[in-house]
Amino acid sequence: MRLVFLGAPGVGKGTQADKAAVHYSICKISTGDLLREAVRNQTPLGLEAKGHMDRGGLVPDSVVIGLVREKLADSSNASGFILDGFPRTVPQAETLANVLNERGVRLDRVINFDVSREEIVRRLSGRRSCPKCQATYHIDFAPSKMGSACERCGEALTQRSDDRRDAIEMRLRVYEEQTAPLISFYEKQQLLSRLNGAESVDAVYQNLIRMLAAHQTA
Ligand code: AMP
């Protein structure tokens, strides 16, 4: 199973990718997670990426493509993957097609998660995380029982620098300009399915699994 999860920041594709990866025993490749790890470890790649990420802009294609190539090579023996947050530009999508072609494999499905702009802003601006154990919370939907501290390890919770208002606005603008064109890119290849991402996590997940099962038997 080789999948791409597409959608604006905050639609919940990372959460759904975590659950689906466990369900299908495949690996999740999140470029956002890989880049944040590089930033935390202060690698040369992380240092290059940090400024772009903090502002809510995209990291250059060349950097991200190198990262994904490496991960796809690592996962070549696994039974599949979910790409979360990649591709985000048409050149990235074209490179992905070439890389898969070189390996003699194809994408099975691209799922686009739809959520209104208002809901996205609410989700992203309330998101908090623990810098120590990486647990995630939301001030309205999933607050920590310990207020502004992590209920797992007690560390003070922080907000991702790109979840601040100005960075959110920038990320949504970048999404509309650079990533949204991928919807028609994959629609033309008859690979695209759309899911309403505004429902509960469990409801979206059930719809996702049902939809993928329908495609597997088709
Ligand atoms: P995410 O966690 O997917 O929202 O990604 C966080 C940030 O990482 C984005 O706002 C970008 O700065 C960067 N990033 C993640 N994936 C990509 C990508 N495929 N291309 C360029 N930048 C990316």
Side-chain angles (χ1 to χ4, degrees):
M1 183 85 94
R2 286 175 288 270
L3 305 171
V4 167
F5 283 10
L6 207 60
V11 294
K13 53 190 191 303
T15 305
Q16 297 297 332
D18 281 333
K19 290 167 78 75
V22 172
H23 181 86
Y24 293 111
S25 302
I26 55 182
C27 54
K28 168 186 153 179
I29 302 174
S30 158
T31 42
D33 288 349
L34 292 171
L35 289 167
R36 277 185 290 279
E37 191 186 338
V39 171
R40 269 198 306 279
N41 294 335
Q42 301 190 341
T43 66
L45 189 148
L47 295 176
E48 183 179 350
K50 188 174 184 328
H52 300 285
M53 295 174 76
D54 285 348
R55 277 194 304 279
L58 292 185
V59 173
D61 282 346
S62 56
V63 173
V64 181
I65 286 169
L67 209 61
V68 172
R69 259 186 197 279
E70 219 172 85
K71 282 287 155 186
L72 285 175
D74 288 350
S75 71
S76 58
N77 295 325
S79 51
F81 56 76
I82 301 176
L83 286 169
D84 159 28
F86 182 94
R88 252 173 159 104
T89 63
V90 170
Q92 288 181 14
E94 286 167 345
T95 306
L96 175 64
N98 292 338
V99 171
L100 295 180
N101 217 4
E102 283 162 20
R103 296 173 177 273
V105 296
R106 305 190 46 169
L107 287 177
D108 293 301
R109 208 77 214 141
V110 177
I111 295 105
N112 188 66
F113 295 81
D114 284 311
V115 175
S116 72
R117 184 186 173 94
E118 194 188 12
E119 175 66 12
I120 286 175
V121 172
R122 205 154 74 100
R123 288 184 183 183
L124 292 179
S125 54
R127 196 156 67 169
R128 299 289 182 274
S129 58
C130 174
K132 196 167 163 197
C133 74
Q134 319 305 324
T136 55
Y137 301 92
H138 190 282
I139 54 173
D140 300 321
F141 315 130
S144 164
K145 292 192 185 78
M146 287 174 63
S148 58
C150 177
E151 61 185 42
R152 274 202 226 157
C153 70
E155 188 78 6
L157 298 179
T158 55
Q159 183 177 40
R160 262 170 60 170
S161 44
D162 60 350
D163 279 347
R164 294 178 208 284
R165 276 293 169 140
D166 52 339
I168 292 175
E169 290 298 326
M170 172 76 166
R171 288 161 76 193
L172 291 175
R173 226 176 16 251
V174 166
Y175 167 78
E176 284 303 331
E177 284 167 13
Q178 307 214 42
T179 310
L182 293 179
I183 296 175
S184 58
F185 179 93
Y186 285 120
E187 215 158 28
K188 281 188 202 127
Q189 298 175 33
Q190 300 186 333
L191 280 173
L192 193 89
S193 295
R194 289 168 182 268
L195 272 186
N196 175 9
E199 295 179 66
S200 70
V201 170
D202 284 341
V204 176
Y205 179 65
Q206 294 308 326
N207 290 337
L208 171 67
I209 298 299
R210 248 198 309 272
M211 192 208 65
L212 289 173
H215 272 285
Q216 272 183 314
T217 52

